[in-house]
Amino acid sequence: MTRKPEDPHWKTDFSVDWSRTSYLSRREFTRYLALGSVTMAAGSTFMALRAGIGRPHAAPPRRAIAAIDAVPPKSSLAFEYPAKGHYALLIRHEDGTFDAFSQKCTHLGCSVFYAAHGDKLECPCHEGFFDVRSGDVLAGPPQRPLPRIQLEVANGKVYAVGGGEA
């Protein structure tokens, strides 16, 4: 009498009753895959439309930054614009003109400062340098210029009137 080889132990540990088990056919799997893809595409489209259409952009407010005499030549003044918590720098050049830029570095968001000795804007985190008149990148890892804030000088004061968002 020959001995029947024993079943491997995994068959006893993970026994399957083949008569009760139902398999997912290839056609059903494809149908579920297509349904899932269509659902994800519809959800992405809905989110994109909601983000783009839902909120109208309000014009940035006109806000007084400082009196002209309060900012001496070759110096800077930090202020918040267009909203609280969004810091910007007002720079007064040696010739008396003004420029203003967002203080948030376009690389990783560190705060830039005005380096009067080199007449440029500097990001201390990764040694990024920006032109003080245009906000363009001079050196370092940033790839985009600093967002400019539109200024208006009237009645002895400097006003921010727009821009400043990246």
Side-chain angles (χ1 to χ4, degrees):
M1 181 171 180
T2 60
R3 187 171 177 195
K4 185 178 172 185
E6 291 184 22
D7 289 336
H9 69 85
W10 64 267
K11 281 193 173 182
T12 57
D13 291 344
F14 302 102
S15 61
V16 175
D17 185 2
W18 297 105
S19 63
R20 290 178 161 184
T21 304
S22 63
Y23 287 99
L24 189 66
S25 70
R26 199 177 314 168
R27 183 173 296 208
E28 289 170 329
F29 176 74
T30 304
R31 188 179 319 147
Y32 290 132
L33 188 65
L35 183 62
S37 298
V38 168
T39 303
M40 290 178 65
S44 297
T45 303
F46 172 74
M47 295 298 285
L49 290 174
R50 185 174 174 216
I53 297 173
R55 289 175 255 144
H57 290 277
R62 182 178 192 254
R63 183 172 297 152
I65 301 172
I68 292 175
D69 297 336
V71 186
K74 290 200 72 133
S75 68
S76 66
L77 176 73
F79 64 100
E80 293 177 280
Y81 190 81
K84 190 166 181 68
H86 295 158
Y87 291 95
L89 278 178
L90 173 69
I91 298 121
R92 186 169 187 185
H93 302 289
E94 199 166 9
D95 62 2
T97 59
F98 291 94
D99 280 306
F101 301 96
S102 169
Q103 197 176 15
K104 187 176 178 182
C105 179
T106 56
H107 177 229
L108 290 178
C110 295
S111 294
V112 299
F113 67 92
Y114 175 57
H117 61 280
D119 202 29
K120 54 189 159 192
L121 297 166
E122 182 177 341
C123 176
C125 294
H126 301 102
E127 297 184 2
F129 296 95
F130 299 91
D131 185 84
V132 75
R133 293 217 180 242
S134 66
D136 291 336
V137 177
L138 297 175
Q143 299 294 309
R144 293 172 286 128
L146 291 173
R148 176 181 289 275
I149 295 172
Q150 305 300 318
L151 298 175
E152 182 180 299
V153 178
N155 302 324
K157 289 186 176 179
V158 181
Y159 296 88
V161 294
E165 295 181 21

